[in-house]
Amino acid sequence: MAKRDYYEVLGLSKGASDAEIKKAYRRLARKLHPDVNPGDKAAQKRFQEVQEAYDVLKDDDKRRAYDRFGHAGPTGGFDPRTAGGAGFPPGGFPAGFGRGGGTPFEGIHFESGDLGDLFGNLFGGRRSSGPEPGEDVRGQIEVPFRDAALGGTATLALRREKPCPTCGGSGRTGKTVCATCRGEGVVAESERVRIKIPEGTEDGGTIRVPGKGAAGARGGSVGDLYVTVRVIAHPYFERHGNDIQGIVPITVKEAYAGAEIGVPTIHGVVTAKIPPGTQSRQRFRLRGKGVKDPRTGTTGDHIYVARVMIPKTQSPAGLDAATLLDSLYETDVRAELPRGL
Ligand SMILES: [Zn+2]
């Protein structure tokens, strides 16, 4: 029988990522493992086929060689089922196996513990039927500016694997493969997960929700959910770390003579000073009126930026007032400009 393409064996296409390869392998190995299918020769054969495919594709060097030469390449003709006798030796091949020059296995480097690791990862160590923890799941939510700054809640709709209700996660009902989950032990279900948004959450930050990942196999623990937060920009407030910044328009008189004005902050309007002689774009700080840092517990500041508004209505009185102001500059306002590059 002609050897099947390794990607085909794992149900993947040629450009599959390392994560996809690993995932496909885990899924198939779980389903086809001899402990789950005692006495099933076809499953056993398929299990070994999957194993061999994974062993080549998970290794960058072997995969490259396979992509280039296929089964006819340096790995061609090598059959781990016969090379190792009946099945794989427990604990993997001895160190240095296949490394000697001139062996028919040149280019293939099984290392001691390689296969042991593989089984260890998959089946929880010594016993191949032991519990296996569920995988972590990742998601993303958009959070309003206010909730990210002050805290709130959000809901995320996601599909996640849960233990199969029919077989209780074993994948079998009596002597047959469970029809509900087709032997996987888990079923995918839609769920709305409520997520607490801590005060001071930043754009791009991650929130961990324990126990909302994929179900474990055979009684293994449930994975976690990791949610990446995208904070929706606010039309007025800008956030810089734990500081919040906003522009406050002021009149010519307020800028010239100074004033007390109401400055909007995320905690409400705060009365703040505009000192005499304030310029446009001048920045002032209100301590502790920013965002509370979830790690340190310290609170950032509110920064308000002055913008001097000039009346647009033209009038002789306005011109007189402006002319009078013009006479009050001590130096040329453009004295410090460069003359060129
Ligand atoms: Zn089931």
Side-chain angles (χ1 to χ4, degrees):
M1 201 178 84
K3 231 172 142 106
R4 281 173 74 201
D5 174 69
Y6 285 149
Y7 292 98
E8 195 187 307
V9 166
L10 294 179
L12 298 165
S13 52
K14 214 163 176 173
S17 70
D18 288 352
E20 284 168 337
I21 289 170
K22 191 172 171 195
K23 202 167 174 194
Y25 168 69
R26 289 174 73 101
R27 186 170 285 275
L28 287 165
R30 211 182 285 167
K31 196 154 80 179
L32 298 164
H33 193 268
D35 279 8
V36 190
N37 306 276
D40 186 339
K41 285 269 186 288
Q44 201 180 323
K45 241 190 135 88
R46 180 100 171 79
F47 179 67
Q48 281 167 346
E49 193 184 27
V50 164
Q51 199 88 132
E52 187 189 328
Y54 177 65
D55 217 69
V56 171
L57 297 186
K58 74 161 181 179
D59 182 301
D60 284 349
D61 291 338
K62 289 185 212 166
R63 183 178 176 183
R64 219 170 298 128
Y66 175 73
D67 284 346
R68 209 163 147 204
F69 303 108
H71 292 302
T75 63
F78 174 73
D79 185 350
R81 282 165 289 186
T82 50
F88 298 114
F93 290 95
F97 175 88
R99 277 175 184 243
T103 73
F105 313 127
E106 204 171 355
I108 304 173
H109 303 292
F110 282 111
E111 277 157 43
S112 179
D114 201 10
L115 294 163
D117 281 354
L118 203 139
F119 280 98
N121 292 341
L122 254 178
F123 305 110
R126 273 144 276 140
R127 295 202 50 225
S128 53
S129 56
E132 183 199 340
E135 280 178 31
D136 293 333
V137 170
R138 292 183 180 274
Q140 185 168 307
I141 39 168
E142 285 203 332
V143 170
F145 187 89
R146 190 207 164 277
D147 292 351
L150 300 177
T153 55
T155 49
L156 174 66
L158 56 90
R159 282 181 75 74
R160 68 186 191 105
E161 291 182 342
K162 288 184 165 178
C164 172
T166 307
C167 62
S170 69
R172 305 189 72 82
T173 45
K175 282 190 173 146
T176 56
V177 168
C178 172
T180 307
C181 63
R182 289 186 298 271
E184 307 249 348
V186 289
V187 287
E189 235 176 59
S190 295
E191 191 187 345
R192 290 181 74 79
V193 178
R194 208 174 148 79
I195 295 155
K196 189 176 178 299
I197 310 296
E199 187 176 356
T201 295
E202 276 186 277
D203 183 49
T206 303
I207 298 170
R208 176 174 165 266
V209 189
K212 290 291 180 188
R218 294 171 298 277
S221 57
V222 182
D224 298 333
L225 168 65
Y226 288 87
V227 184
T228 304
V229 176
R230 289 283 155 220
V231 179
I232 301 165
H234 193 276
Y236 177 71
F237 294 113
E238 267 177 57
R239 186 164 161 188
H240 302 281
N242 294 319
D243 292 341
I244 299 285
Q245 185 171 302
I247 292 169
V248 283
I250 54 174
T251 69
V252 174
K253 189 185 172 194
E254 284 167 342
Y256 183 76
E260 281 202 341
I261 59 164
V263 171
T265 75
I266 59 168
H267 304 284
V269 175
V270 171
T271 302
K273 276 199 164 70
I274 295 292
T278 290
Q279 309 292 325
S280 257
R281 299 176 73 174
Q282 208 170 329
R283 296 148 57 93
F284 304 97
R285 200 172 275 268
L286 288 166
R287 301 255 170 226
K289 294 293 180 190
V291 177
K292 190 171 172 182
D293 190 298
R295 285 173 296 268
T296 62
T298 58
T299 305
D301 302 332
H302 181 89
I303 294 156
Y304 57 103
V305 184
R307 177 184 283 164
V308 181
M309 307 299 284
I310 308 298
K312 285 184 179 164
T313 310
Q314 297 295 317
S315 76
L319 187 58
D320 284 350
T323 306
L324 181 59
L325 281 176
D326 235 31
S327 70
L328 299 178
Y329 292 107
E330 282 149 11
T331 53
D332 176 3
V333 293
R334 289 180 287 278
E336 284 175 21
L337 288 184
R339 294 185 179 275
L341 191 63

